[in-house]
Amino acid sequence: MVYVSTQTLSAAPRSAVMQAQSALTIAQQELASGKYADVGLSLGGQSGQLISLSQQSSRLESYTVSNSAANTRLTSTTSAIDTLTTAANGIISALTTWNASSPSQNSLSLTAQSNLGALTSILNTAVAGQYIFGGINTDQQPLTTYVSTPASAAKTAVDNSFASQFGFSQTSAAAGSVSGTDMQSYLDNQFASLFAASSFSPTWSSASDQTMSTQISDNQTVSTSVSANQTAFRQLAQAYTMVSEFSGQGLSAAAQQAVVTTATNLVSRALSGMTDINAAIGITQSTISDANTRLTTQKGLLDTQVETLQGVDSYALTSQLSTLQTQIQSSYELTAALQKLSLVNYITP
């Protein structure tokens, strides 16, 4: 004997409706996103390939991000060096027009002091919390302020050096007895040694000689910073310090001429050095730009493969949606019809 009930009949379409609605929701989600809702289920064995491609794309994206940060750092470095170059050209003009009888001696000294302060400030530039002239010591301010209270190590070294060489300070009345020859010898030897690489770091600088390196692609690494210990910057510090300390003082005209001549030579060499530094930065930025172009192309190819693997067929989905909606509507109609059935309708009076 077979038992048939309206409850059993009505339950069947309700179950079909629930399944169709679940499938409809997934299809709508996939059509909106253009991707499989469950990639692993849809791709099966190809899921590993998708993961590998996505990881490669993410790695290339990380290069692009770090390259952008490096390029910003280099652009800021170039801008800072351009400012230093402008100031150096300005003092070159003042030095070349100097003469012992000019009333502008004190003005030259003040200009050098201002340039020295600007040099310190600019080489202490920070970008995104990192000191761009610190080498790999990006968390430490590269240069100490020359004029400070108490006296800086650099200022103390200069004062001690002069007093040790001549037996009195540069501000002493006895400084007028220093000959041009003796002053030139001092500037070329004892004073110059204060700005040698081995002396500059302990007294002036906390920067490292080693510069930052950035891996800009899978097989390329470039230097992406400049150290405050570079020769050109030490030459500027040397020139500005000697002019601020020894010009406009009670030195003889011959001694002051030695200062001006030596400073002019130093600033000229520093200008050439900074030109070379900016040229090297330009080459690095060009290399980064070329690497970014390749990265963009490679990432585009990888992303296309990823999209192909995880992308859905919108035409097939549209047809599936229509079919599911029709099934659901039919199930609703069948359920409504079954609910109207009653045994009373089949009982003969």
Side-chain angles (χ1 to χ4, degrees):
M1 182 179 294
V2 178
Y3 295 93
V4 179
S5 69
T6 55
Q7 181 180 5
T8 301
L9 290 173
S10 61
R14 280 200 298 271
S15 175
V17 166
M18 293 177 63
Q19 293 176 1
Q21 285 178 329
S22 176
L24 180 64
T25 299
I26 292 173
Q28 288 173 330
Q29 177 184 338
E30 290 181 341
L31 188 62
S33 66
K35 301 176 182 178
Y36 291 121
D38 189 330
V39 176
L41 179 63
S42 299
L43 293 183
Q46 287 186 299
S47 297
Q49 181 184 358
L50 177 65
I51 293 172
S52 176
L53 291 171
S54 297
Q55 289 176 339
Q56 291 178 57
S57 178
S58 295
R59 187 181 72 255
L60 297 183
E61 177 66 23
S62 69
Y63 284 139
T64 302
V65 172
S66 63
N67 288 354
S68 176
N71 193 58
T72 298
R73 185 164 58 247
L74 291 172
T75 298
S76 298
T77 302
T78 298
S79 178
I81 293 175
D82 287 343
T83 301
L84 293 177
T85 297
T86 300
N89 280 320
I91 202 169
I92 277 284
S93 177
L95 287 167
T96 53
T97 57
W98 177 91
N99 64 76
S101 60
S102 172
S104 62
Q105 294 180 44
N106 288 332
S107 175
L108 181 60
S109 176
L110 291 174
T111 299
Q113 290 176 30
S114 176
N115 279 19
L116 182 57
L119 174 68
T120 302
S121 177
I122 290 170
L123 293 183
N124 285 338
T125 297
V127 174
Q130 294 186 324
Y131 292 102
I132 60 177
F133 289 98
I136 60 174
N137 298 337
T138 58
D139 60 341
Q140 297 182 50
Q141 184 171 282
L143 294 190
T144 57
T145 302
Y146 181 72
V147 178
S148 63
T149 303
S152 66
K155 169 65 174 171
T156 300
V158 169
D159 289 346
N160 289 344
S161 171
F162 189 92
S164 176
Q165 178 66 20
F166 298 110
F168 44 80
S169 72
Q170 60 267 38
T171 58
S172 169
S177 64
V178 177
S179 69
T181 301
D182 288 342
M183 190 65 183
Q184 189 66 64
S185 177
Y186 166 69
L187 293 175
D188 291 343
N189 296 283
Q190 290 83 2
F191 184 78
S193 69
L194 300 177
F195 298 87
S198 58
S199 302
F200 193 71
S201 290
T203 55
W204 284 84
S205 175
S206 297
S208 70
D209 292 335
Q210 182 181 352
T211 57
M212 292 181 64
S213 293
T214 301
Q215 186 171 355
I216 61 174
S217 65
D218 284 339
N219 56 3
Q220 279 185 295
T221 300
V222 295
S223 174
T224 54
S225 74
V226 175
S227 172
N229 298 339
Q230 286 271 32
T231 301
F233 303 139
R234 289 188 284 110
Q235 288 170 335
L236 284 182
Q238 183 178 349
Y240 295 158
T241 301
M242 72 168 62
V243 174
S244 65
E245 287 287 354
F246 308 132
S247 71
Q249 299 287 352
L251 294 175
S252 67
Q256 290 188 56
Q257 183 63 64
V259 171
V260 169
T261 299
T262 305
T264 301
N265 180 263
L266 283 167
V267 176
S268 296
R269 288 158 56 197
L271 283 168
S272 178
M274 289 190 292
T275 298
D276 291 342
I277 292 172
N278 267 349
I281 290 175
I283 293 173
T284 299
Q285 289 186 300
S286 178
T287 302
I288 291 174
S289 178
D290 291 343
N292 282 341
T293 299
R294 293 193 300 273
L295 290 171
T296 299
T297 300
Q298 293 169 4
K299 187 175 185 302
L301 292 173
L302 289 171
D303 290 345
T304 297
Q305 294 180 63
V306 168
E307 290 173 6
T308 299
L309 281 172
Q310 66 181 8
V312 295
D313 184 338
S314 59
Y315 295 104
L317 270 179
T318 301
S319 176
Q320 182 184 356
L321 281 171
S322 178
T323 300
L324 288 170
Q325 289 169 341
T326 299
Q327 289 177 351
I328 292 172
Q329 184 60 38
S330 298
S331 296
Y332 283 150
E333 292 173 356
L334 178 59
T335 300
L338 289 172
Q339 287 177 340
K340 292 178 182 179
L341 293 177
S342 173
L343 184 59
V344 176
N345 296 333
Y346 300 96
I347 297 175
T348 303

